[in-house]
Each structure stands twice: as structure tokens, then as C-alpha cells.
Amino acid sequence: MKYLDYPPIWLLGFIGLTWALAQVGLTIALPLWLKALGGVLIALGLGLMALAAFAMWRHHTTVVPHRIPSEIVTDGVFRLTRNPIYLGDAFTLAGFALLFGSPAGVVFVPVFMAVIQSRFIAEEEAWLGTKFSEEFQTWAKKTRRWL
């Protein structure tokens, strides 16, 4: 089952759960501007993911969790957050929750972030701390994990 343990799978699962709750009537009527905000959050999330993936590609390192990175990326969107792809996932989930009118979906965002923290970020930061010790410590001190 390790081949299913990837952030996009978790994100799709949480989006699916949010959608399912909306289908069984656990929704509220949101004003149009909040639904529009949902679309903006999805676009922001996808854009953040794309910028981060491009930066990692430019540095010739992996975007695949469970693989040891060959380089540490600290420029571009990585100056704002140590985890722009995961932050993009969280924005995307929040956006879909708003589009679905699902308050439970919004509550799932911090749960999703906790899952990502325990399943992926802890391991990735351990690798970075071991392989790029001084550079990682300097970057981690000045760059927040999420925002």
C-alpha cells in the first residue's frame, strides 16, 4: 500500500470526503463571493504547487515524497514557506470545501495538514537536516513550515 501513500492521494481522499458530506446534505448556502473565493483558493493552490515543482525541477531534485532529495531548494516560493506544495494542497482543499458549501470540509483542512505533517514533512525534513545540515538549519530558522 506504500504506492498509495502520496500527498495527491490524501488530497483527493479529503476532497472526496468533503464532497460526500456535501452530497448527504451537510452543506450551507454560501454567498457567491465565498464560492468565488473557493475558486481563487484552488487556483492559488495549483499555482503554488506548479511554482514549487518548477523550482525543484530547476534544481534537479525530486518532487516525489519518500525519495531522498539531491538538492535543497530555498529560493523562489521556498523563501515564503518550506512546504509550498503541501500548502498548495491545503489551499486547494479549502477551496473545494467552499465550492461545495461544506463547513465540515473546512474543518478537514487542519486535519489534512496534520496528516501531511506526520506522513511526509517529518521524514523530508529529517532527510534535509541530515544531508544539508547547516543550510537546512539556517533556512528552517528563517522560513516557516506553512505560512
Side-chain angles (χ1 to χ4, degrees), residues 7 18 23 27 29 43 50 52-53 58 69 72 77 91 94 98 119 133 139 142-143:
T18 301
Q23 298 309 300
T27 61
R58 217 177 57 240
I72 185 170
V77 293
F91 285 157
L98 289 175
R119 305 241 13 114
S133 181
W139 177 56
K142 66 180 181 181
T143 309

Side-chain angles (χ1 to χ4, degrees), residues 119-140:
R119 305 241 13 114
F120 304 102
I121 294 173
E123 179 182 63
E124 291 170 4
E125 289 193 346
W127 285 337
L128 290 170
T130 300
K131 192 167 183 181
F132 310 101
S133 181
E134 192 174 315
E135 189 176 3
F136 175 74
Q137 293 306 322
T138 301
W139 177 56

Side-chain angles (χ1 to χ4, degrees), residues 64-119:
V64 180
H66 308 305
R67 291 192 185 163
I68 298 172
S70 57
E71 294 289 329
I72 185 170
V73 183
T74 60
D75 61 352
V77 293
F78 287 89
R79 286 187 183 144
L80 307 172
T81 172
R82 294 196 312 256
N83 298 289
I85 294 175
Y86 300 141
L87 181 59
D89 289 341
F91 285 157
T92 301
L93 177 57
F96 275 106
L98 289 175
L99 282 180
F100 298 152
S102 175
V106 175
V107 172
F108 288 149
V109 173
V111 175
F112 171 78
M113 292 169 75
V115 168
I116 293 299
Q117 167 63 35
S118 66
R119 305 241 13 114

Side-chain angles (χ1 to χ4, degrees), residues 54-71:
F54 179 71
M56 294 174 85
W57 173 79
R58 217 177 57 240
H59 285 269
H60 306 287
T61 193
T62 185
V63 297
V64 180
H66 308 305
R67 291 192 185 163
I68 298 172
S70 57
E71 294 289 329

Side-chain angles (χ1 to χ4, degrees), residues 4-25:
L4 290 177
D5 190 24
Y6 288 97
I9 302 296
W10 283 97
L11 177 60
L12 289 174
F14 273 86
I15 290 171
L17 184 58
T18 301
W19 177 82
L21 289 175
Q23 298 309 300
V24 297

